[in-house]
Amino acid sequence: MQRKNIIGSRVREERKEAKITQIDLAAQLQVSGIKIDQAGLSKLESGDRPVTDIEVAAIAKILKVPISRLFEGR
């Protein structure tokens, strides 16, 4: 299956480094106005779900990393 985003594995890595669960990250994204649940975040991290620029910006802000960090490597 073809990947639908290029940042999923980096999001997972940064989320784990920040010691945040998928459920907690999804909840923080929802508070930020992003409609995503744990299952959607899991699909995003595995590359099975596309990600919008607004979602990338919100994820980076919550994880306290520059947006560019999510696009590095992989």
Side-chain angles (χ1 to χ4, degrees):
M1 177 164 43
Q2 185 176 356
R3 296 184 62 89
K4 296 182 180 176
N5 74 59
I6 62 171
I7 70 161
S9 60
R10 181 65 70 187
V11 170
R12 178 184 298 118
E13 182 179 301
E14 293 296 332
R15 176 183 58 76
K16 287 183 176 186
E17 189 171 312
K19 296 181 175 29
I20 298 173
T21 66
Q22 285 183 339
I23 292 170
D24 289 337
L25 180 54
Q28 290 181 53
L29 287 166
Q30 289 171 8
V31 168
S32 299
I34 306 295
K35 294 183 180 184
I36 191 167
D37 59 10
Q38 183 273 328
L41 185 57
S42 177
K43 289 178 182 178
L44 185 152
E45 287 184 355
S46 66
D48 294 333
R49 175 192 179 279
V51 61
T52 68
D53 55 352
I54 294 169
E55 291 171 331
V56 173
I59 290 167
K61 183 175 182 179
I62 291 166
L63 295 177
K64 297 180 177 137
V65 298
I67 291 171
S68 61
R69 175 75 177 136
L70 300 178
F71 289 95
E72 291 176 1
R74 307 286 178 255

